[in-house]
Amino acid sequence: MASAPTITISDVAEHAGVSVGTVSNVVNRPERVAVETRQRVLDAIEALGWVPNSSAATLRAGSATLVGLIVPDIRNPFFTEVARGAEDLAAAAGEAVVLCNTDWLLESEQRALEALARQRARGVIINPAGEDERYLSWLTERGIALVLLDHRRSTGLVPAVVVDDVLGGRLAGEHLVRLGHTCIALVNGSTSIPQCEDRQLGLMAALADGGLDPVRHLITVEVEAMDAVSGFEAVHRIFDRGSPTAIFCTNDLIAIGVVHGLRERGLSVPADVSVVGYDDVELAAMTDPPLTTVHQPTYELGATAYELLARDALPEQRSFSPHLVERQSTGAA
């Protein structure tokens, strides 16, 4: 007989009509939540029979209380918010999260993994530097649980949480086509990074659907580092190749740098050039002008990744859909 589906924190959030972060606050820091909202969450927990991971009763007796979180660069606010989602749930379970940066370098990742293995970490949540997760099989062979973060699986053998980045790129492209732009620039990281490749594919599909030839109507600039400095420097390379009226950047940090680079050239955003970012980090709403961007559920990604790790989930893939947030950098009110 099939077992009943496991109730997750996301299920509780949906039932209560709140975010995953609010559910986490009710469990960990109830004083931060309004009484009415807190009661709604508690009612949802009772109705669904959800048991917070803390009852994994300090997770199995004698088990380690250390979890590794390996990301490319914690300076990117996207990963900061992801880390908070994982850490909040880990704290409720009596576990500590050790954060490691790789800068997309396999050798840095390997050093971090070996250090976590020596510390007998119970599990690892990782945004891997390699494309095929099979090279990480030595972890599971040692009994270390593994969850892929924001990384599509090659084998389907490892649990993963992902965002549909092809859809995200498409949403950005459709928005710019809808605004009437016919010469668009893309500032992207390396397409060896799956997220960058997918966002570019989505953008190109949207242009094609809008009657634009990506070969003729798209200027693509690839940057080595996905940060604001690289975005600033990319502006000069873009205008050496054409005069776009819109620029899509595959993360918000790049977009912030692009806005500053455009201003240095005497161009106004969005009067002369529209700019779209990706991630919807907190800073995106506070830039001048506020940044139109593709929103990713960052906190939920981290929380869900930890939840899969905590319950030794079957190798399922939990997929989230992004959505476009229109702000003034593309002329939105």
Side-chain angles (χ1 to χ4, degrees):
M1 185 173 67
S3 59
T6 302
I7 302 300
T8 69
I9 191 172
S10 300
D11 297 324
V12 174
E14 182 177 358
H15 191 279
V18 299
S19 70
V20 169
T22 298
V23 178
S24 176
N25 278 334
V26 169
V27 174
N28 299 310
R29 296 176 294 276
E31 71 281 356
R32 295 189 179 184
V33 184
V35 174
E36 181 180 342
T37 303
R38 187 164 69 228
Q39 189 58 53
R40 196 161 74 246
V41 171
L42 292 172
D43 290 344
I45 289 173
E46 183 177 358
L48 296 177
W50 180 62
V51 180
N53 287 331
S54 51
S55 78
T58 304
L59 287 124
R60 302 172 288 282
S63 68
T65 57
L66 184 69
V67 167
L69 175 60
I70 300 181
V71 299
D73 189 354
I74 195 60
R75 292 174 301 179
N76 184 335
F78 168 82
F79 290 111
T80 305
E81 188 68 10
V82 166
R84 186 56 191 257
E87 188 176 32
D88 279 356
L89 265 68
E95 293 198 305
V97 174
V98 175
L99 183 64
C100 308
N101 291 278
T102 68
D103 295 314
W104 297 108
L105 298 175
L106 279 168
E107 55 266 32
S108 297
E109 178 182 280
Q110 183 66 25
R111 285 196 298 271
L113 289 170
E114 289 173 352
L116 289 168
R118 286 196 299 272
Q119 294 297 318
R120 299 187 179 181
R122 185 182 65 79
V124 173
I125 299 168
I126 182 171
N127 185 286
E131 294 184 40
D132 187 329
E133 72 270 11
R134 279 175 287 201
Y135 76 96
L136 297 169
S137 61
W138 66 274
L139 286 171
T140 53
E141 290 168 0
R142 293 188 182 189
I144 299 173
L146 181 67
V147 172
L148 302 181
L149 171 68
D150 195 26
H151 186 92
R152 64 185 182 218
R153 303 177 300 175
S154 301
T155 65
L157 298 177
V158 179
V161 291
V162 299
V163 174
D164 187 345
D165 284 308
V166 174
L167 173 60
R170 177 180 283 278
L171 291 172
E174 289 174 346
H175 177 61
L176 294 175
V177 170
R178 191 163 54 246
L179 293 174
H181 295 287
T182 58
C183 184
I184 296 169
L186 167 67
V187 185
N188 200 2
S190 171
T191 51
S192 65
I193 300 171
Q195 297 93 324
C196 293
E197 180 184 24
D198 285 351
R199 292 168 197 180
Q200 179 169 326
L201 289 173
L203 173 67
M204 294 174 68
L207 298 188
D209 288 349
L212 302 178
D213 179 358
V215 175
R216 293 174 45 241
H217 296 274
L218 181 64
I219 300 167
T220 301
V221 170
E222 188 172 299
V223 295
E224 289 187 8
M226 297 180 68
D227 56 22
V229 172
S230 296
F232 180 86
E233 295 171 347
V235 171
H236 301 289
R237 294 166 59 192
I238 290 169
F239 282 88
D240 284 343
R241 298 176 54 188
S243 299
T245 58
I247 302 175
F248 171 46
C249 307
T250 51
N251 78 11
D252 287 340
L253 292 182
I254 294 174
I256 290 168
V258 162
V259 169
H260 284 278
L262 290 169
R263 284 200 176 132
E264 187 185 66
R265 294 183 68 92
L267 297 170
S268 174
V269 177
D272 298 316
V273 183
S274 290
V275 177
V276 178
Y278 202 105
D279 289 338
D280 194 23
V281 301
E282 185 176 5
L283 188 61
M286 303 177 188
T287 58
D288 181 21
L291 188 64
T292 292
T293 186
V294 177
H295 174 86
Q296 298 200 80
T298 49
Y299 186 98
E300 287 82 356
L301 279 171
T304 302
Y306 178 80
E307 192 168 52
L308 291 175
L309 193 76
R311 59 187 176 87
D312 291 331
L314 295 173
E316 62 179 296
Q317 178 166 288
R318 297 285 295 275
S319 183
F320 294 85
S321 295
H323 65 268
L324 186 75
V325 179
E326 296 184 35
R327 299 192 181 101
Q328 286 90 332
S329 69
T330 55

